[in-house]
Structure formats: structure tokens, C-alpha cells
Amino acid sequence: MAIIGAGIGGLTLAIALRRRGIRAAVYERADELREVGAAVALSANGTRVLHALGLRAPLDAASAVPTELIYRHWREGGRVASFTAGEAYAERFGSPYCGVHRADLQAVLAEACGPQDLHLDHRLVGISTENRGHELEFANGVVAHADLVVGADGVHSTTRRWVADAEPAAYSGTSGFRGLIHREEMPSLPDPDAIQFWMGPGAHVLHYPIGDGSFVNFLAVVDDPATWPGSSWVADVSPDLLREPFTGWHPGVREMIEATSLHKRWALFGQSPLRRWHRDGIVLLGDAAHAMLPHHGQGANQSIEDAATLASLLHRFAPEQALPRYERLRRARTRAVQRSSWVASALLHLPDGPEADERDRRLAAIPDTLQWIHEHDAEAAANACG
Ligand SMILES: Cc1cc2nc3c(=O)[nH]c(=O)nc-3n(C[C@H](O)[C@H](O)[C@H](O)COP(=O)(O)OP(=O)(O)OC[C@H]3O[C@@H](n4cnc5c(N)ncnc54)[C@H](O)[C@@H]3O)c2cc1C
């Protein structure tokens, strides 16, 4: 078995398979595992899987648990809605919510995966299907063989072209700036230990504490540029570009923005739902199957759910029976999360007015609205699949 991509989904799958006695070779195009970007928020549906894989202790050591989830008005900073997180969240959903630096998460996963089956500097460029499986061609000239190939190679997946006749992931018209700031640099920021959304006209900011809580990770999203130039999803820009959309925002947000000199912006892409997730023993997982906007903080969590589901099914069924079950279990759920994150994107950027007032009223029910995402137990769902 070959897994293409040693990101969050690919590594989680390799660990989950190994725990069931199935070994897979993981091929990663990068020559070392270095996560780009800042941090990731893991909700109960993701931490539940990682804990079951025996990663609770290293994950706890590397992550911070936010005290509350708070939505705020962009200028006045008043609480629009707030909910207790911390222990109350863990009790309600059976597992914690936490913020972790991506490099730390990847280190935890890579350590658990071990080096023996990890092949760095292997960029997949071609797959040809043979009588007895697949021949994989890598840019470094290596050729490998596998009966089953899992494309966990991210939003701009190469593997996807052998599975689905899909349009490439579409640019959403929004881009994000990601940064890490020491909490002391933001004296006006209320509740730095909480996970907070600041919602304003044409932009929003999401932040949460990570690691030992001294640093706050933020993602500032703006409705700009209207079209994305080129094929790379990260572009070099002047740090001033980020300041302008947040003029007039609450001092806590401005301190956050002004303390950084971010000169990279990330295009936010979404993939239209794929009609098929597998073909002839090649199957997609994570962003390769369902890239989504990050506004529910679910891309990584859904990749982790995919990995738990696929590993459980491959343990119990032959691949030709496991793959259709995997697609059936995962496609409808991830499609619903994808759709919901597009809706959230527009709602978070409303200007003040009646529509924003209506959104604010609805936010009062957010823990119930999002319950179906956070309460999910991917492994139990796979085990219940006959
Ligand atoms: C700004 C932003 C903020 C986010 N915040 C959150 C959050 O708070 N919570 C959350 O759950 N999600 C979040 N996400 C989404 C999350 O980062 C992704 O959904 C998640 O990383 C997907 O995991 P993956 O394993 O599918 O892909 P990735 O983690 O992208 O891994 C893919 C891997 O495949 C490798 N690869 C690619 N092509 C090849 C090839 N041809 N051959 C070999 N290897 C290849 C890549 O180098 C990479 O290592 C955010 C995303 C963005 C853009």
C-alpha cells in the first residue's frame, strides 16, 4: 500500500494502519517534514481519533485548550455570542478542543509514524495501472509498486486526476494572512486565552492560543483579491496590504496586525464536491478529496476523520469492499461541512446592518448548530458499517 503525501491526513492514516498491523509506504515530495503556516485548531472529532491512536500525551504537551469560544463585533469588540470551552466542551463532546502549532502536530505524527516507511523527496508524477496493481513514478526517478494507492496529497492533489474528472480547486475570492504573536504584544486584546472570531465588513480575524499559551495564532481573512493570479496558493505581498482592511477595527485586533510584518498571503481554495473518491484501487483522502474553506476549522479534522475511517475499513474488509464503504461514509459528511464553511465565509464578513443582526441572533445557538460536526466519532461510524 502506498500513501502519497505525509501531511496531517497521510501520517494519521499510516499510524492508524500500523496500529492494525497494516504497513504502508508514505511518499512525500518535500525533502524534510516542515509544516508551512502557523497553527491548527483541533476539535473533538479530530482529537478523539488522535487520542485513540495513543497520541494524547504528546498532543496535550504541545497544545493549548481555549477557555471560551467568543464572537465579537469588529469595532466595539462587544461579545456577540460566547460559550464556555475548556472542560465543559470536553465533557459535552467527549474529547477536547485545542490549538497546536502545525510543526508541533506534524512532529507528533511523524514521531508516531517513525522513519522506516517514510520516503521524503519523492514527488509523485505518474501512475500507470498494471495487471497486478499500480506503478508509481516519482520525480527523482524512483519507480515503486503498490496494490492500493491513497492520494493524501492536499488541495492541489496530483493523484486526483487518476480518480475523478474534477475541476481544480476553485479560488474563493478570499485570502488569509497567518501569524503568531506573543500575547504581551497585544495589551488591548480581551481574552487572549479564548478562541475568538472578530467579524467585520469584508474581513474577519480568528485567533486562539497554542502550545503553552504564551503565543496566539491568528488568521486574518479579507475579501481580496477578486481573482487569484497564478497557480501557487501563496503569494508574496507587502505587509501594508494587511493593515488597510483593518483600519478602524478594535485596538486589540490592530495591535495583532501591526505587531507582525506578514508578507505572505494564502489563497483560500475550495474544491467542488467530487462525484467519486476512488477508482481501480486509487483512493483520495483529506484535502485531495474535499478541500474546504477554513472557517469551521475543519480541513485537518476532516482529514483525520477520513484516516480513521479508511484504516478501520481496510482492517475489516478487502479493498474492493472497503473503498465503496469509505466513500459512502465520508462523502456526504464532508460535503455538508464544505457547504457550511462556504456559508460561514459570507456571514463572517457582513457589514453592520439587519443581515449582521440576524446572523448575531443565530450565533446564540452555535454549539447546537455545530454539534453534528464536533460530536462525530469516525471510528465508531466505520465500525458500525456492515
Ligand atoms: C489559512 C488556513 C487555516 C487553516 N486552519 C485550520 C484549522 O484551524 N483546523 C483545521 O482542521 N484545518 C485548518 N486548515 C485546513 C488544513 O490545513 C488542511 O485541511 C489539512 O492540512 C489537510 O490535510 P491533508 O493531509 O489532506 O493535506 P496536507 O496537510 O496539505 O498534506 C499534503 C501533503 O502532500 C504532499 N504532496 C503534495 N503533492 C505531492 C506529490 N505529488 N507527491 C508527494 N507528496 C505530495 C505535500 O507536500 C503535503 O505534505 C486551514 C487551512 C488554511 C489554508
Side-chain angles (χ1 to χ4, degrees):
M1 200 172 145
I3 299 171
I4 311 300
I8 295 168
L11 287 175
T12 306
L13 177 65
I15 299 162
L17 288 170
R18 177 100 52 76
R19 306 254 155 172
R20 293 172 169 86
I22 305 171
R23 282 186 75 169
V26 184
Y27 297 99
E28 165 59 47
R29 71 176 168 192
D31 55 10
E32 63 175 303
L33 286 185
R34 48 171 185 262
E35 253 298 346
V36 281
V40 69
L42 296 176
S43 45
N45 49 316
T47 54
R48 194 188 328 283
V49 169
L50 299 178
H51 288 186
L53 292 176
L55 303 178
R56 178 173 204 141
L59 192 60
D60 282 355
S63 60
V65 173
T67 48
E68 283 180 275
L69 167 62
I70 305 173
Y71 289 85
R72 290 187 187 271
H73 185 267
W74 62 283
R75 190 179 51 229
E76 271 96 47
R79 288 176 177 232
V80 170
S82 59
F83 313 94
T84 313
E87 279 177 25
Y89 174 93
E91 262 168 44
R92 175 171 182 169
F93 293 109
S95 203
Y97 208 137
C98 65
V100 57
H101 196 287
R102 296 175 78 97
D104 293 337
L105 176 59
Q106 190 151 32
V108 167
L109 295 173
E111 168 80 22
C113 183
Q116 64 275 30
D117 296 319
L118 188 56
H119 306 274
L120 299 175
D121 195 17
H122 278 63
R123 180 165 66 85
L124 179 84
V125 290
I127 305 181
S128 35
T129 301
E130 317 162 308
N131 296 337
R132 292 174 44 245
H134 304 287
E135 185 175 276
L136 307 176
E137 192 191 331
F138 296 95
N140 59 7
V142 170
V143 171
H145 295 87
D147 297 325
L148 179 62
V149 180
V150 182
D153 47 353
V155 58
H156 299 298
S157 168
T158 300
T159 316
R160 197 190 290 135
R161 77 177 73 130
W162 284 282
V163 174
D165 306 316
E167 294 290 317
Y171 172 60
S172 62
T174 57
S175 61
F177 295 78
R178 305 153 96 180
L180 273 184
I181 316 224
H182 200 282
R183 54 194 291 158
E184 284 174 4
E185 292 189 73
M186 302 169 292
S188 311
L189 186 76
D191 300 306
D193 292 316
I195 177 161
Q196 303 200 80
F197 282 95
W198 296 76
M199 306 174 291
H204 79 272
V205 174
L206 162 69
H207 63 84
Y208 48 85
I210 62 161
D212 65 4
S214 346
F215 280 87
V216 168
N217 169 73
F218 78 84
L219 169 64
V221 178
V222 294
D223 285 345
D224 188 54
T227 54
W228 186 259
S231 59
S232 165
W233 65 326
V234 186
D236 290 324
V237 290
S238 151
D240 295 338
L241 208 67
L242 180 58
R243 307 222 157 99
E244 199 272 324
F246 295 97
T247 312
W249 283 54
H250 185 274
V253 173
R254 289 210 320 277
E255 284 163 7
M256 184 180 291
I257 303 285
E258 277 155 25
T260 51
S261 64
L262 297 178
H263 35 73
K264 287 204 183 307
R265 78 154 135 202
W266 302 68
L268 300 183
F269 281 92
Q271 175 72 48
S272 317
L274 302 182
R275 279 222 295 275
R276 53 191 309 162
W277 280 33
H278 69 96
R279 187 193 293 266
D280 300 332
I282 307 174
V283 60
L284 301 176
L285 179 146
D287 276 8
H290 50 64
M292 56 184 67
L293 298 181
H295 309 314
H296 282 328
Q298 280 300 313
N301 288 294
Q302 293 303 312
S303 306
I304 292 168
E305 283 189 16
D306 287 349
T309 308
L310 186 56
S312 166
L313 292 170
L314 285 171
H315 178 58
R316 294 170 50 224
F317 299 100
E320 27 326 338
Q321 293 152 349
L323 300 191
R325 284 173 170 80
Y326 165 71
E327 180 181 299
R328 202 167 61 236
L329 279 176
R330 299 300 306 155
R331 200 173 54 171
R333 176 167 165 79
T334 52
R335 187 175 287 196
V337 182
Q338 275 178 309
R339 211 178 283 132
S340 181
S341 58
W342 277 91
V343 173
S345 176
L347 289 177
L348 291 167
H349 292 195
L350 289 173
D352 291 349
E355 278 189 277
D357 294 344
E358 175 57 20
R359 171 202 64 200
D360 295 351
R361 272 191 293 279
R362 285 170 184 242
L363 279 174
I366 202 85
D368 298 331
T369 319
L370 296 182
Q371 173 155 344
W372 65 278
I373 298 181
H374 293 216
E375 71 184 359
H376 189 71
D377 184 334
E379 193 165 346
N383 289 342
C385 178

